[in-house]
């Protein structure tokens, strides 16, 4: 997971500390979801309650809101290479990661379609370019 800020405008340039974004508008996943609760906990641990202006489960929409200067957001590194032009990225303290899971009915894990999906997901992760965040935030 990475912090994304706009490349231009008043919120541009990754901060030294996450707390510097306490008054910024945020795009976050909804509360009650693992990613939404995690994001709010990270902000609270940094000493502020995020000003959530945009709420939804779509990281591509979050990326668009950052790129257009409307918000800052936590973005999965998996999409960063293809969808974050016009943003600047920073690594978060502790370099948090997320885990993606697939689930199928018992006995179907070997089905060709399931194997193809899982293989494709693994290939995307393996092929993605290394991230070049502007820096790492301090706690």
């Amino acid at each position: 997971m990475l912090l994304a800020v706009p490349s231009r405008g008043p919120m541009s340039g990754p901060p030294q500390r996450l707390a510097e974004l306490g008054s910024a508008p945020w795009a976050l996943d909804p509360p009650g979801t693992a990613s939404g609760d995690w994001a709010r906990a990270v902000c609270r641990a940094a000493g502020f309650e995020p000003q959530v202006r945009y709420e939804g489960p779509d990281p591509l929409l979050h990326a668009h809101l950052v790129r257009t200067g409307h918000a800052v957001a936590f973005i999965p590194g998996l999409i960063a290479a293809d969808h974050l032009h016009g943003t600047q990225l920073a690594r978060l303290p502790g370099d948090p990661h997320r885990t993606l899971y697939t689930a199928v009915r018992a006995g179907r894990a070997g089905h060709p379609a399931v194997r193809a999906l899982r293989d494709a997901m693994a290939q995307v992760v393996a092929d993605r370019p290394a991230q070049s965040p502007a820096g790492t935030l301090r706690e």
Side-chain angles (χ1 to χ4, degrees):
M1 297 298 289
L2 302 167
L3 171 69
V5 298
S7 291
R8 295 192 176 103
M11 295 181 291
S12 65
Q16 295 295 311
R17 291 182 173 9
L18 190 59
E20 295 171 30
L21 296 173
S23 62
W26 284 82
L28 296 180
D29 285 2
T33 62
S35 54
D37 291 347
W38 170 84
R40 286 163 178 79
V42 168
C43 292
R44 290 172 186 145
F48 68 95
E49 185 66 29
Q51 304 301 310
V52 182
R53 187 166 300 159
Y54 307 98
E55 190 173 271
D58 184 352
L60 296 177
L61 176 58
H62 296 182
H64 176 72
L65 291 166
V66 172
R67 183 175 39 256
T68 57
H70 291 94
V72 297
F74 297 121
I75 301 291
L78 187 60
I79 70 164
D82 295 329
H83 301 283
L84 291 179
H85 303 290
T87 69
Q88 292 182 320
L89 304 174
R91 291 192 192 286
L92 298 167
D95 199 22
H97 289 76
R98 65 184 186 148
T99 302
L100 301 177
Y101 296 93
T102 60
V104 296
R105 291 188 325 231
R108 299 305 285 173
H111 189 279
V114 172
R115 284 197 328 263
L117 172 68
R118 289 176 174 168
D119 289 347
M121 289 175 68
Q123 191 63 49
V124 166
V125 171
D127 290 348
R128 72 185 174 117
Q131 302 303 317
S132 299
T136 300
L137 298 178
R138 294 190 307 250
E139 303 238 5

